[in-house]
Amino acid sequence: MTDHDPTERALLLLSLLQTHRFWPGAELTERLGVSARTLRRDVDRLRSLGYPVDATPGAAGGYRLATGAHLPPLLLDDDEAVAIAVGLRTAAGASIDGIDDTALRALAKLEQVLPDRLRRRVHAVHGNVVSLQWGGAPTVDADALAVLALACRDREQVRFEYRRRDGDDSSRLVEPYQLVSAGRRWYLVAWDVRRDDWRTFRLDRLERARLAGVRGATRDLPGGDAAAFVAESIRTMPLPHSAVLEVDGDADAVRAMLHWSDAEVDPVGDGRVRVRIGSGSNEALLRVVTWLAGRYAVVVREPDDLARRVDQLVTRLRR
């Protein structure tokens, strides 16, 4: 890069500033192959175009793209443009409250300026991928999602109201670590300041999320994997409903059918097994029984209410 192509150089500078939160001045001059004086002129050119570039003086100084009053044009390479378009199409069918229309408006603006070659790539992806949509899924407030994402990035404490599994409400002060998308549900992994421990929070049970204005401490999540932490939290949470079943089947085969659960499968002789399984609802337990009954003979030993519901289902099927 030389001083004789300022437009190309300014675009490259903008691209660099959009990929890092802070660039030392010396590193930028080396990347662009220009003097410090030329770099300052290029920064001024970007400012005149509406890009708010902050400068830090001194030997260790540098530049960063600051938050502005409005959104200036973004400089995207081909892969980034395709990724954003695909992400917006996916977001249009997500379980985030109010984001579907917003995503469609943003997608319309982006596709209007996409070159034909990139538009074909985007359409090829979505023309050959379909999403299984689940009705009645809990929705997440888009504003809360944005607040929590910023707090995770900046390690800032957040306050919110939270409805627990038992229906009780509580006020929380947490230090967000990471957001985890688990299919139809979103979770926040955070350090609970008042309980002095790590916790997971379902975002559809969370209200009035707001930044507390206090930086959180640097903490290491046990295991370092937020998704694994959420999975373990779900697996070990107390389940309010349980059942005991007798199944005419091989223990290993029955375990394989119930691999997604924490069911206990114990042989009882004569090719039968006893299954102890917990769930969040009686409806889910009924689905387990019908799932197993598709392959094996099943008898519900506990609870009586589940046994009655199975008998009612059998009667309706016979009709």
Side-chain angles (χ1 to χ4, degrees):
M1 191 70 63
T2 71
D3 290 354
H4 302 295
D5 42 18
T7 301
E8 184 181 352
R9 193 176 59 243
L11 290 174
L12 178 56
L13 172 60
L14 177 59
S15 178
L16 293 172
L17 290 173
Q18 287 178 340
T19 56
H20 278 63
R21 294 190 66 187
F22 178 81
W23 280 95
E27 190 170 347
L28 280 177
T29 56
E30 182 180 350
R31 284 287 192 109
L32 298 172
V34 299
S35 65
R37 182 179 178 182
T38 300
L39 175 62
R40 288 194 293 272
R41 286 204 306 265
D42 290 341
V43 168
D44 288 339
R45 184 177 291 112
L46 290 180
R47 288 170 176 160
S48 70
L49 294 172
Y51 295 94
V53 182
D54 284 348
T56 305
Y63 300 90
R64 72 181 184 92
L65 199 60
T67 301
H70 64 281
L71 180 67
L74 296 175
L75 186 64
L76 304 171
D77 64 28
D78 287 3
D79 289 340
E80 290 169 342
V82 171
I84 290 175
V86 171
L88 287 170
R89 282 178 176 264
T90 303
S95 58
I96 303 171
D97 188 30
I99 205 172
D100 46 0
D101 290 339
T102 305
L104 288 173
R105 289 198 306 271
L107 180 62
K109 293 178 181 178
L110 180 60
E111 291 200 339
Q112 186 176 4
V113 297
L114 280 179
D116 285 342
R117 69 181 190 281
L118 298 186
R119 191 179 293 111
R120 286 195 297 270
R121 286 173 60 183
V122 173
H123 290 172
V125 171
H126 277 277
N128 293 280
V129 176
V130 294
S131 298
L132 181 60
Q133 300 295 328
W134 297 89
T139 58
V140 174
D141 181 68
D143 291 337
L145 192 63
V147 168
L148 295 171
L150 288 173
C152 289
R153 185 195 69 181
D154 299 334
R155 292 291 182 259
E156 185 171 346
Q157 291 184 356
V158 171
R159 299 180 186 276
F160 54 79
E161 310 304 316
Y162 191 68
R163 188 181 70 258
R164 300 190 314 185
R165 232 178 11 257
D166 58 11
D168 286 348
D169 295 331
S170 61
S171 297
R172 301 297 181 103
L173 175 64
V174 305
E175 297 176 1
Y177 179 82
Q178 195 165 14
L179 290 163
V180 176
S181 173
R184 293 172 291 163
R185 292 196 175 121
W186 286 78
Y187 293 86
L188 170 69
V189 176
W191 178 265
D192 193 314
V193 175
R194 294 178 180 137
R195 289 161 178 78
D196 199 33
D197 199 3
W198 291 99
R199 291 287 192 273
T200 61
F201 301 94
R202 265 178 51 177
L203 265 62
D204 57 294
R205 294 177 179 164
L206 184 151
E207 295 180 352
R208 297 183 59 235
R210 64 265 188 209
L211 298 174
V214 178
R215 295 276 294 181
T218 300
R219 304 182 189 278
D220 293 326
L221 179 71
D225 187 335
F229 186 85
V230 169
E232 179 65 13
S233 176
I234 295 172
R235 189 186 69 81
T236 57
M237 73 172 57
L239 297 173
H241 302 278
S242 61
V244 177
L245 316 172
E246 277 195 10
V247 181
D248 287 352
D250 174 74
D252 290 338
V254 172
R255 277 193 207 97
M257 286 190 69
L258 301 175
H259 67 277
W260 42 267
S261 72
D262 253 354
E264 298 178 12
V265 180
D266 300 308
V268 293
D270 298 327
R272 293 178 297 120
V273 295
R274 178 172 286 109
V275 176
R276 295 178 177 84
I277 188 168
S279 180
S281 68
N282 281 324
E283 288 73 18
L285 289 175
L286 182 60
R287 288 195 292 271
V288 171
V289 174
T290 56
W291 168 248
L292 289 171
R295 182 176 297 180
Y296 305 111
V298 180
V299 177
V300 177
R301 296 301 183 191
E302 298 177 18
D304 293 340
D305 178 63
L306 179 61
R308 283 193 295 270
R309 296 187 66 179
V310 170
D311 289 340
Q312 291 168 359
L313 176 60
V314 170
T315 300
R316 287 196 297 271
L317 291 171
R318 284 174 176 165
R319 287 176 182 172

